[in-house]
Amino acid sequence: MPYLPAGFPDGAWVPDVVVALGEQFAAHGHELSLVGGPVRDLFLGRSSPDLDFTTDADPDQIIAAVSGFADAHWDIGRDFGTIGIRKGDDILEVTTYRAEAYDPDSRKPQVSFGSRLEDDLVRRDFTVNAMALQLPSFELVDPHGGVRDLVAKHLRTPGTPEASFSDDPLRMMRAARFASQLGLDVAVEVREAMTAMADRLEIVSAERVREELVKLITGAHPRQGVDLMVETGLADVVLPEIPALRLAGDEHHRHKDVYQHSLQVLEQAVDLETDADGPVPGPDFVLRFAALMHDVGKPRTRRFEPGGAVSFRHHDVVGAKMTRKRMQELRFDKDSIKAVGRLVELHMRFYGYGDAGWSDSAVRRYVTDAGDQLERLHRLTRSDVTTRNRKKAARLDRAYDDLEQRIAELAEQEELARIRPHLDGEQIMEILGISPGPDVGKAYRFLLEHRMDHGPIAQDEAERLLRDWWAEQE
């Protein structure tokens, strides 16, 4: 575990494999530097999950240099100058000095290789990522003041932001991501370029945009990142439902707009995440994204009622459909789409509980409809309370405490999380003497409804109930 020399933060170190790889390349007559995020993280006092290197060696020379050193290598990124290496448990990536640029009509970057480290660094996205640690000498190369900007919490580009964002428009999303992850303030000229060039983001593939969005939402300061996206127009391309929230005042006129309310819900949801041993370990993308999107149906459902009130009837259902559609367009996986959509759809279900109370049947339905999202739904519902009326907020909090207690009591009595009908499909077919088909599904749903309304019953009673129902169908 080599510690770095004076000039680096006290206790800063790099893994042994970093030094060994530098010595390996030097022995083959090539330059090698640790670059980008890992170097930035040395000054932030944290370890980087990735180890990225840059070199003057071309892909064939990289392979030759690691031959006999690496346990395995792969060249899936050869066209971009990148060779992957496995050494023990470490996964490393070594990339030839390069430049990336987008054709105005292409989603794929055009790559050219370079020969100087300084030329490689000036083409990187931001000054805080345009630093390199030369190996094995541990000499820091920071021609654009990345350390200074880190200390000042300032986000700038090595060259002009217009040139940087033309090379790769996704860097505008990265600016918002770094605002979220690191709490950096974006330089005025960078913000202006993002605003002027936001529509260039349309040429970037949905998958690359999605990955940056996930990192932004799961950052330490997601509100800061979302705000930057909205203010610069990036959100109009990526999440147009969010800036649209600024047009929908809430029904109590106690928030500046639904947009600010949604950001507050997002922040409050973050505060309710648990540690690694809890039910919702943070950072949790599904919870956070549901918090951000929970009210996106309001602009489409806004109605002005007699007397000046504003209503948003069924905005939960409409918002869930909008959320699923947006996530599909961003190429999210089906499980994430289903989970976030379910939370948005159910986020209003609790309201009214404290006034009218719920039957045991209603509590069972709440749990069953939430399914494996129940713990997230608890947190989303609590986060959605942003009223400035302290008495109302306390009343809602007590009501949800009561609901959670009832869920726990019923769960202990009935194994609530695994509610099933009294009989399964095979038993239904055997008792009724029918073959697989729609009737089996109807019978199953009938028994499930009875289970919800009345709780568990004995099997012989369930069989009698099924036969009586079947007789009524004939």
Side-chain angles (χ1 to χ4, degrees), residues 181-376:
Q181 287 185 327
L182 304 177
L184 301 181
D185 294 322
V186 177
V188 172
E189 67 273 14
V190 173
R191 185 183 295 264
E192 290 175 348
M194 291 169 67
T195 303
M197 301 175 67
D199 59 352
R200 283 275 290 157
L201 195 59
E202 293 176 353
I203 73 168
V204 181
S205 70
E207 290 82 0
R208 296 184 74 215
V209 171
R210 178 199 65 219
E211 292 305 309
E212 290 297 326
L213 179 63
V214 170
K215 292 175 182 177
L216 184 157
I217 296 298
T218 55
H221 312 279
R223 180 172 188 156
Q224 190 170 329
V226 173
D227 248 340
L228 181 60
M229 285 182 61
V230 171
E231 292 170 1
T232 57
L234 294 182
D236 292 323
V237 179
V238 179
L239 288 176
E241 298 82 4
I242 299 304
L245 293 175
R246 294 178 297 180
L247 304 178
D250 87 316
E251 57 265 51
H252 302 297
H253 305 288
R254 290 176 180 168
H255 299 288
K256 179 180 180 181
D257 50 35
V258 180
Y259 170 68
Q260 292 297 333
H261 162 74
S262 297
L263 292 183
Q264 185 176 350
V265 173
L266 171 59
E267 288 186 316
Q268 293 180 173
V270 171
D271 290 339
L272 291 179
E273 291 173 338
T274 66
D275 60 21
D277 296 325
V280 185
D284 187 88
F285 172 78
V286 169
L287 172 62
R288 294 183 181 200
F289 199 57
L292 178 63
M293 300 291 283
H294 78 284
D295 273 348
V296 295
K298 282 190 171 181
R300 291 190 183 180
T301 58
R302 181 173 60 171
R303 298 291 182 272
F304 295 98
E305 306 293 348
V310 180
S311 67
F312 303 98
R313 293 186 179 89
H314 307 301
H315 76 272
D316 44 356
V317 177
V318 173
K321 291 179 180 178
M322 294 169 62
T323 299
R324 293 185 187 106
K325 181 179 179 182
R326 178 58 52 199
M327 293 183 73
Q328 287 167 354
E329 292 180 356
L330 288 170
R331 305 292 192 271
F332 276 92
D333 63 278
K334 292 181 180 179
D335 288 344
S336 296
I337 295 172
K338 180 180 178 181
V340 175
R342 177 65 58 87
L343 290 170
V344 173
E345 187 173 355
L346 294 178
H347 83 273
M348 291 293 294
R349 180 75 67 86
F350 161 75
Y351 291 95
Y353 174 85
D355 297 327
W358 283 0
S359 65
D360 286 351
S361 173
V363 175
R364 292 187 193 101
R365 290 179 187 277
Y366 187 77
V367 173
T368 302
D369 289 348
D372 59 2
Q373 300 306 312
L374 181 62
E375 289 291 346
R376 287 182 173 123

Side-chain angles (χ1 to χ4, degrees), residues 89-250:
D89 294 332
D90 294 304
I91 302 298
L92 320 171
E93 287 192 352
V94 182
T95 301
T96 307
Y97 297 152
R98 68 185 187 185
E100 289 183 357
Y102 270 85
D103 182 277
D105 300 318
S106 173
R107 290 177 177 266
K108 296 182 178 180
Q110 308 297 314
V111 177
S112 60
F113 298 145
S115 59
R116 298 178 65 247
L117 174 60
E118 290 76 14
D119 292 339
D120 181 270
L121 294 179
V122 76
R123 298 181 180 112
R124 293 184 176 262
D125 52 4
F126 302 105
T127 59
V128 296
N129 294 328
M131 299 183 286
L133 184 66
Q134 291 186 316
L135 300 169
S137 66
F138 293 149
E139 179 182 348
L140 178 69
V141 181
D142 182 19
H144 306 288
V147 173
R148 178 192 62 220
D149 287 341
L150 266 183
V151 172
K153 289 189 172 296
H154 204 49
L155 194 67
R156 296 185 303 112
T157 53
T160 67
E162 291 80 6
S164 181
F165 299 154
S166 292
D167 282 349
D168 185 352
L170 187 67
R171 290 173 173 177
M172 293 184 284
M173 278 292 293
R174 287 187 192 139
R177 188 241 290 186
F178 287 125
S180 170
Q181 287 185 327
L182 304 177
L184 301 181
D185 294 322
V186 177
V188 172
E189 67 273 14
V190 173
R191 185 183 295 264
E192 290 175 348
M194 291 169 67
T195 303
M197 301 175 67
D199 59 352
R200 283 275 290 157
L201 195 59
E202 293 176 353
I203 73 168
V204 181
S205 70
E207 290 82 0
R208 296 184 74 215
V209 171
R210 178 199 65 219
E211 292 305 309
E212 290 297 326
L213 179 63
V214 170
K215 292 175 182 177
L216 184 157
I217 296 298
T218 55
H221 312 279
R223 180 172 188 156
Q224 190 170 329
V226 173
D227 248 340
L228 181 60
M229 285 182 61
V230 171
E231 292 170 1
T232 57
L234 294 182
D236 292 323
V237 179
V238 179
L239 288 176
E241 298 82 4
I242 299 304
L245 293 175
R246 294 178 297 180
L247 304 178
D250 87 316

Side-chain angles (χ1 to χ4, degrees), residues 261 264-265 268 351 381-387 392-393 396:
H261 162 74
Q264 185 176 350
V265 173
Q268 293 180 173
Y351 291 95
T381 303
R382 289 184 181 277
S383 300
D384 197 21
V385 178
T386 60
T387 177
K392 180 179 180 181
L396 289 170

